[in-house]
């Protein structure tokens, strides 16, 4: 009986060693969560703890990063959101609308692609908006 178990174990290891392994990055793994409002390239943008705009947030998120997104959606796209820091249905729908107008995936998730495509408030810009690069 022992010989059978060893043979089976070796067969499983040998078979799995020949199978291709495919690893995919999920959006959450690709970028950290947006948690703060960030001053970046003369714009106000949502950012991560590492002070980068390369971050992700979506429905259910809350805090300063969401407030900054809501403010940008209001200032640059006239969405009329309540700036409450809660990424709820209205914020998601407003973001999906902007994403669709920009010709990018309209999934209602703010991530690196959306950050690069959408306009953000310019510091001391009196309501002016501009894109960022990273």
């Amino acid at each position: 009986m022992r010989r059978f178990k060893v043979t089976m174990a070796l067969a499983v290891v040998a078979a799995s060693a020949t199978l291709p392994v495919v690893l995919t990055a999920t959006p959450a793994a690709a970028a950290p969560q947006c948690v703060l409002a960030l001053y970046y390239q003369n714009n106000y943008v949502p950012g991560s703890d590492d002070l980068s705009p390369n971050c992700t947030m979506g429905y259910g998120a809350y805090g300063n990063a969401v407030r900054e997104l809501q403010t940008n959606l209001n200032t640059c796209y006239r969405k009329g959101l309540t700036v409450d820091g809660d990424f709820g249905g209205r914020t998601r729908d407003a973001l999906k609308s902007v994403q669709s107008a920009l010709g990018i995936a309209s999934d209602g998730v703010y991530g690196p692609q959306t950050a690069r495509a959408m306009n953000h408030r310019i510091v001391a810009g009196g309501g002016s908006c501009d894109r960022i690069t990273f």
Side-chain angles (χ1 to χ4, degrees):
M1 186 64 117
R2 175 178 255 180
R3 184 173 178 205
F4 177 72
K5 287 183 182 178
V6 171
T7 304
M8 289 299 292
L10 289 176
V12 170
V13 170
S16 65
T18 61
L19 297 175
V21 176
V22 178
L23 300 175
T24 58
T26 62
Q33 289 295 305
C34 300
V35 294
L36 52 85
L38 179 66
Y39 172 74
Y40 185 83
Q41 294 179 353
N42 203 36
N43 296 69
Y44 289 116
V45 299
S48 64
D49 280 335
D50 67 357
L51 304 180
S52 167
N54 183 24
C55 59
T56 302
M57 67 179 159
Y59 187 84
Y62 61 91
N64 288 331
V66 177
R67 280 185 194 86
E68 194 56 54
L69 174 62
Q70 291 167 330
T71 301
N72 283 328
L73 289 169
N74 288 344
T75 302
C76 303
Y77 298 97
R78 300 181 182 151
K79 291 301 177 183
L81 297 169
T82 300
V83 180
D84 59 5
D86 182 9
F87 200 127
R90 291 197 64 223
T91 300
R92 181 188 56 217
D93 292 346
L95 183 59
K96 286 171 94 172
S97 170
V98 169
Q99 290 170 323
S100 179
L102 294 171
I104 60 175
S106 58
D107 57 5
V109 174
Y110 179 90
Q113 180 186 34
T114 301
R116 286 186 203 96
M118 74 178 277
N119 287 321
H120 299 84
R121 295 183 304 133
I122 295 176
V123 176
S128 297
C129 300
D130 198 8
R131 289 187 184 175
I132 59 170
T133 59
F134 60 93

